[in-house]
Amino acid sequence: MDVTTDAGAPWLIVGLGNPGPEYAMNRHNVGFMVADLLAGRIGGKFKRAGKAQAQVVEGRIGAPGPGSRRVVLVKPMSFMNLSGGPVNALRDFYKVPVDRVVAVHDELDIDYGTLRLKLGGGDNGHNGLKSMTKVMGADYHRVRCGIGRPPGRMQVADFVLKDFSSTERKELDWFVDRAADSVEALLAEGLERAQSTYNA
């Protein structure tokens, strides 16, 4: 895919998470954290997206000129396992091809602090991805933010809905910043170059 040509459609950057202050610092909400940081970088504030059950920020990512990309940052407000409906409604509204959708999400099978970028693939049990894939297919980009596996016999659901530990929080700002950088690189340089930089 050639990301240097702008066919007019924006990129839809979807931070996955759960709405509400009680979930704000959960591992499952790292996608929201990245979306909030990207919104700050482009000088925007999230607001309700019409009838869609989501909050959005519209703007441009990248240096002014031909290298900048029109984006719509999205935080679904439907809870994780229903994310696909609001995302697909916005994709239809903005006429975004599936391969211009980027899901930013937590990933159990990657060590904490590690990133992996890819196009397409399975959902690996992630309810947000499962919901998105069900309504629009799997051929969207993913920025996978590693959170590691639960310790001992802790259930996965309990682990992802707990806040980052005090040790993890020491690196969290750096991790979220790097994830936001990887989204910008994906849009500006294409998947392969972004992978070579960020897929540790």
Side-chain angles (χ1 to χ4, degrees):
M1 181 182 58
D2 181 5
V3 298
T4 61
T5 55
D6 184 359
W11 285 77
L12 212 62
I13 312 300
V14 181
L16 289 175
N18 287 309
E22 67 270 36
Y23 300 104
M25 291 304 296
N26 286 184
R27 294 182 178 92
H28 223 16
N29 271 42
V30 69
F32 272 18
M33 297 174 197
V34 176
D36 285 336
L37 180 58
L38 287 168
R41 288 184 181 183
I42 65 176
K45 288 189 176 180
F46 278 98
K47 59 185 179 185
R48 188 66 180 256
K51 294 180 180 179
Q53 205 172 356
Q55 292 182 354
V56 300
V57 171
E58 296 183 48
R60 300 191 79 88
I61 282 178
S68 82
R69 301 281 176 261
R70 185 174 160 226
V71 297
V72 180
L73 305 175
V74 180
K75 294 196 299 185
M77 293 286 114
S78 55
F79 288 95
M80 186 70 83
N81 61 346
L82 299 173
S83 299
V87 172
N88 206 41
L90 290 167
R91 191 178 72 80
D92 287 344
F93 179 79
Y94 288 102
K95 298 178 172 55
V96 177
V98 174
D99 65 3
R100 283 197 180 211
V101 176
V102 182
V104 185
H105 63 93
D106 57 302
E107 178 61 64
L108 286 160
D109 285 339
I110 302 174
D111 290 341
Y112 175 71
T114 301
L115 296 171
R116 293 279 190 278
L117 281 68
K118 72 173 188 174
L119 174 63
D123 57 57
N124 202 23
H126 192 289
N127 287 331
L129 298 182
K130 194 177 296 183
S131 179
M132 287 178 61
T133 297
K134 182 177 180 181
V135 296
M136 66 185 198
D139 295 331
Y140 53 92
H141 288 84
R142 297 102 188 276
V143 173
R144 305 159 73 204
C145 303
I147 61 169
R149 301 293 303 184
R153 297 186 178 186
M154 184 185 290
Q155 295 295 311
V156 166
D158 294 332
F159 179 69
V160 300
L161 292 175
K162 284 195 181 306
D163 288 359
F164 285 102
S165 70
S166 57
T167 302
E168 289 169 336
R169 283 199 295 271
K170 291 175 183 175
E171 294 188 359
L172 185 58
D173 287 348
W174 170 85
F175 185 25
V176 170
D177 194 65
R178 185 169 166 79
D181 289 347
S182 77
V183 173
E184 294 184 351
L186 171 63
L187 271 55
E189 302 168 10
L191 179 60
E192 287 187 13
R193 288 189 65 180
Q195 284 175 324
S196 70
T197 302
Y198 292 95
N199 282 22

